[in-house]
Amino acid sequence: MSLFSLISVFSYLSLLLLFGTISFRIYKNVLQAVQKTSEGHPFKEYLDMDLTLSQEKVQQLATFAVAHVNALLTGLRRLFLVEDLVDSIKFGVLLYWLTYVGAIFNGITCVMIGFVALFTLPKVYENNKQSIDTHIEIVRSKIQEITENC
């Protein structure tokens, strides 16, 4: 991810998967020929799986996606066209901060940090649950107090 584009990474991973499945299929065919067995296709159970989507499921997912995309577009329009000056300035500060984050971290670094955090943060929370919960409650009360005043 740090040296190749997302398209290249996807292509290389797909080629690796294809090479592995072709190699396994040839290995199984040779093994069947040598042992004179008729096990059939090694991926038969996966080939027989029904992967079709029902019309209702597609409509449900499309309705869900459209609702979220519309909410996202409405929010972005509100931020970029400065409906509320304070929210737009906050968004600008966030974008400016993200430029520094993007300059420091590349894609693979963010993935590695996320992977490490995925396994360490739950353990840290488990070990310090009492103190973390009290601090989170203090922050929530302050945020609620600030939003009520605005």
Side-chain angles (χ1 to χ4, degrees):
M1 291 177 93
S2 65
L3 300 175
F4 302 107
S5 69
L6 187 60
I7 296 170
S8 297
V9 171
F10 175 75
S11 297
Y12 284 127
L13 289 176
S14 297
L15 279 172
L16 181 66
L17 178 66
L18 182 64
F19 177 74
T21 55
I22 288 173
S23 300
F24 186 71
R25 170 80 192 270
I26 291 171
Y27 168 75
K28 285 299 222 178
N29 284 350
V30 169
L31 195 63
Q32 288 173 8
V34 170
Q35 294 179 348
K36 296 187 178 19
T37 61
S38 59
E39 293 178 8
H41 197 285
F43 301 114
K44 180 88 171 124
E45 64 183 86
Y46 300 111
L47 290 171
D48 292 339
M49 291 175 85
D50 184 26
L51 297 178
T52 58
L53 296 173
S54 67
Q55 188 72 19
E56 296 80 26
K57 186 68 173 175
V58 171
Q59 287 177 347
Q60 180 185 15
L61 290 173
T63 304
F64 180 76
V66 166
H68 285 319
V69 168
N70 285 338
L72 175 71
L73 291 175
T74 302
L76 288 175
R77 180 183 65 189
R78 187 179 65 79
L79 290 171
F80 279 109
L81 298 180
V82 195
E83 184 177 309
D84 183 13
L85 183 62
V86 175
D87 284 345
S88 293
I89 290 173
K90 288 178 189 176
F91 183 62
V93 169
L94 174 71
L95 291 176
Y96 185 71
W97 181 76
L98 284 176
T99 62
Y100 283 106
V101 171
I104 294 170
F105 301 117
N106 58 16
I108 195 70
T109 305
C110 291
V111 169
M112 288 172 30
I113 289 172
F115 184 76
V116 170
L118 179 69
F119 293 104
T120 57
L121 291 180
K123 188 64 177 174
V124 168
Y125 178 72
E126 184 180 307
N127 290 342
N128 303 309
K129 184 176 177 152
Q130 186 76 22
S131 116
I132 291 173
D133 285 344
T134 57
H135 285 59
I136 287 175
E137 189 56 42
I138 291 171
V139 169
R140 281 185 187 161
S141 66
K142 292 292 183 185
I143 289 173
Q144 185 177 6
E145 179 182 315
I146 290 170
T147 54
E148 286 175 357
N149 290 340
C150 292

